[in-house]
Amino acid sequence: MRVFLTGATGFIGSHIIPELLGRGHQVLGLTRSEAGAQRLRAAGAEVHHGDLEQPETLAKGAAAADAVIHCAFDHNFDAFVENTQKDARNIAAMGEALAGSNKPILITSGVGIGSPLHGGPATEDVFNPFHANPRIATELAGAALMARRIDVRTIRLPQVHDTTRAGLITPLVAEARRAGAVAYVDAGRTRWAAAHVSDVARLYVLALEKGEPGARYHAAVEEGVDARAIADAIGQGTGLPVRSIAKHDVAHYFGWMAPFAALDMVASSSWTRERLGWQPAGPDLLTDLAAMDYAVPTAA
C-alpha cells in the first residue's frame, strides 16, 4: 500500500517509516519544511508538503494514498484545547477525501480516553463521548467518520519512550529543573502506562494490515509505572533531589503539567495483543530513563 503518514518527521512517525518500508509498503510523508523533506527522502519516503494549519493539504495527501496513518499533533500545551479541535478538523478533512472508498485511516488518541467510570485500567472497549479530557475531540471526529462508513481505526498511546524522550516525562524533566527538585504527589502511587517507541511503531503497522474498521487499539506495554519510581529515575539521572509534595504544592513543582501530576493513567492492552498478535520486545520505561543522557537537553 501507499500510505500517507502525518507526523512523518516526528518521534513516532520517524519510527513508523522503516516499519512500513520493511513490510513492502510505500510511504508518502507529510512535512512543512525542506529540511523535513530531506529527512524523508533520506529515510526512503516520498514527500508531501502540507501543514496542520491547512486541512486541505492533508486531504490532498490522503486522496493520493491507499491508506492514512495520522500521528501528527501540535504538542503546544498552552493551546491544548485549540489543538485538539485542530486535530478534529484535520481528521474530518482527510475523512472527506476517503469518503466512498474502503481506504483505512488510523487516528491517534490517548489511553486515558479508555478509562472506565468505575476506575481501573483503561480498556479498548470503553468510549465515553463526554470524557473530560479535551483529546476526546479526536475520537469524536473519528466517530463522525465511522457514521459515514469510513474505515477508522484508533491507536491510543501511553507514555512513549526511548533514551531521548518519554512522552509527558520529557517536559516533566524540564519542570523539575525549573523547580530545583523532582516531585511526586503524596506517596507517589499514581501510575502511567508506557511503551517503547519501536513497539508502538510496530503496532501502527499491525493495525493497518490486520486491524478492523471501528476498532480501538491500546499501545500500552507496561500497564502502569509508579510515579515514585519515575521520579527516582529522573533524580538519579539529573542529580536533582527527589521529594514528596502535597497536592497544594503541585502547581509550583509541575508548572503547566499540574493537571497531569496526580492522574492515574493505567491501561490494558490484552485485547489489542490478542487481536493483532502484537508482541512487544523493547526496553521498559525505567530502563530507558536510566540510560538517558540528562546532560543533553531532551528532545522537543
Side-chain angles (χ1 to χ4, degrees), residues 75 77 159 165-178 192 234 253-257 260 298-300:
H75 287 95
F77 283 92
Q159 307 307 310
R165 62 180 295 175
L168 286 173
I169 298 166
T170 294
L172 181 63
V173 174
E175 291 300 324
R177 293 189 193 278
R178 176 195 56 78
W192 288 359
I234 295 171
Y253 285 94
F254 289 89
W256 65 265
M257 291 190 63
F260 301 100
T298 47

Side-chain angles (χ1 to χ4, degrees), residues 188-214:
R189 297 280 175 80
T190 54
R191 296 178 297 156
W192 288 359
H196 191 269
V197 65
S198 62
D199 292 321
V200 173
R202 194 173 306 112
L203 179 61
Y204 273 97
V205 180
L206 285 171
L208 174 68
E209 295 179 340
K210 301 171 63 175
E212 304 169 7

Side-chain angles (χ1 to χ4, degrees), residues 33 40 59-60 63 66 109 188 233 246 252 260 268 291 294 296:
S33 70
L40 289 175
K60 290 179 180 178
D66 303 310
S109 182
H252 172 70
F260 301 100
S268 169
Y294 293 89
V296 178

Side-chain angles (χ1 to χ4, degrees), residues 21-269:
L21 295 177
R23 301 278 294 181
H25 301 291
Q26 297 172 291
V27 179
L28 178 64
L30 176 71
T31 183
R32 64 181 179 181
S33 70
E34 185 52 39
Q38 291 177 8
R39 291 200 299 274
L40 289 175
R41 294 188 190 102
E46 299 175 67
V47 175
H48 178 79
H49 287 281
D51 195 301
L52 297 183
E53 304 293 340
Q54 299 173 308
E56 67 278 7
T57 64
L58 275 67
K60 290 179 180 178
D66 303 310
V68 176
I69 294 179
H70 175 52
C71 61
F73 188 78
D74 187 338
H75 287 95
N76 174 12
F77 283 92
D78 289 333
F80 184 48
V81 174
E82 293 88 340
N83 288 336
T84 61
Q85 296 301 322
K86 177 166 60 179
D87 194 47
R89 290 193 296 273
N90 284 322
I91 290 169
M94 289 186 286
E96 189 65 38
L98 300 177
S101 75
N102 60 356
K103 299 176 181 180
I105 175 170
L106 278 63
I107 64 175
T108 302
S109 182
V111 291
I113 301 300
S115 298
L117 294 175
H118 55 75
T123 55
E124 296 90 340
D125 62 315
V126 172
F127 171 68
N128 174 12
F130 305 104
H131 201 289
N133 188 329
R135 194 70 197 263
I136 190 62
T138 292
E139 296 202 21
L140 289 173
L145 297 186
M146 283 186 268
R148 299 174 58 191
R149 299 183 182 277
I150 295 170
D151 182 351
V152 179
R153 309 168 194 183
T154 303
I155 306 294
R156 289 173 170 170
L157 300 180
Q159 307 307 310
V160 182
H161 60 86
D162 65 3
T163 58
T164 65
R165 62 180 295 175
L168 286 173
I169 298 166
T170 294
L172 181 63
V173 174
E175 291 300 324
R177 293 189 193 278
R178 176 195 56 78
V182 188
Y184 57 88
V185 181
D186 296 332
R189 297 280 175 80
T190 54
R191 296 178 297 156
W192 288 359
H196 191 269
V197 65
S198 62
D199 292 321
V200 173
R202 194 173 306 112
L203 179 61
Y204 273 97
V205 180
L206 285 171
L208 174 68
E209 295 179 340
K210 301 171 63 175
E212 304 169 7
R216 295 176 289 270
Y217 300 103
H218 281 192
V221 177
E222 295 180 272
E223 186 171 290
V225 183
D226 286 352
R228 172 66 189 270
I230 292 171
D232 285 341
I234 295 171
Q236 184 69 29
T238 61
L240 292 169
V242 178
R243 62 186 56 160
S244 169
I245 62 167
K247 289 184 178 179
H248 61 77
D249 278 334
V250 164
H252 172 70
Y253 285 94
F254 289 89
W256 65 265
M257 291 190 63
F260 301 100
L263 283 183
D264 209 38
M265 296 187 283
V266 295
S268 169
S269 63

